[in-house]
Amino acid sequence: MTGAEQAVRAKALTVLGADDALAGLVHGVFDGVPPRASAPYVSVGAAEGRDWGTKDRPGCEVRLTLSLIGAGLPADAGGAAARMEAAARALRGPAGGWTVVAVRALRSRLAFRREGGWRHDLVVRCRCLVGVREEA
């Protein structure tokens, strides 16, 4: 895992964990799949990095998967899914020695799980540049 992937994952955990509205709707925000957790919960999953940058600054494009795991009917997830998507937009800015300059939701998927319940996956693309640029 590159530094950008680690930085984006860490920032996602911080942003999602600090969202009070989301905290009222789920039982927790976890790094990966927790060994024991009761649904609903949010899991910060796979992070895939690719080379990306500008003419004057190297960078990395990170695709991060955020998952909302639930039980019961998926219709119950509307509020938590909306909060997760709103929090994902807040990933812009400094992140562990990188600057996330653009965030875009690429894909959203709702699937039923074999063991019961459902899973809402959101894949976000974060374009990151090396170094932290001060905001004007």
Side-chain angles (χ1 to χ4, degrees):
M1 186 178 305
T2 69
E5 292 165 347
Q6 292 173 341
V8 169
R9 284 179 64 80
K11 184 155 187 178
L13 286 164
T14 300
V15 167
L16 290 165
D19 188 313
D20 292 335
L22 180 62
L25 299 169
V26 298
H27 293 194
V29 175
F30 300 96
D31 186 5
V33 178
R36 288 182 214 90
S38 59
Y41 64 87
V42 174
S43 172
V44 177
E48 177 185 332
R50 293 189 174 109
D51 185 40
W52 180 86
T54 63
K55 289 182 181 181
D56 63 341
R57 289 176 74 190
C60 185
E61 178 180 289
V62 177
R63 292 183 184 208
L64 181 67
T65 302
L66 305 175
S67 299
L68 174 61
I69 311 299
L73 299 174
D76 301 337
R83 290 303 317 155
M84 184 175 73
E85 291 178 20
R89 288 190 294 273
L91 293 174
R92 285 184 63 130
W98 293 78
T99 301
V100 180
V101 295
V103 177
R104 180 176 180 198
L106 295 179
R107 180 171 51 105
S108 180
R109 176 180 173 212
L110 177 67
F112 291 95
R113 298 178 5 186
R114 178 178 299 186
E115 55 278 353
W118 47 267
R119 176 185 184 114
H120 176 147
D121 291 327
L122 176 67
V123 177
V124 290
R125 179 187 70 198
C126 298
R127 289 189 169 164
C128 309
L129 294 172
V130 172
V132 178
R133 183 171 281 173
E134 294 298 321
E135 296 293 323

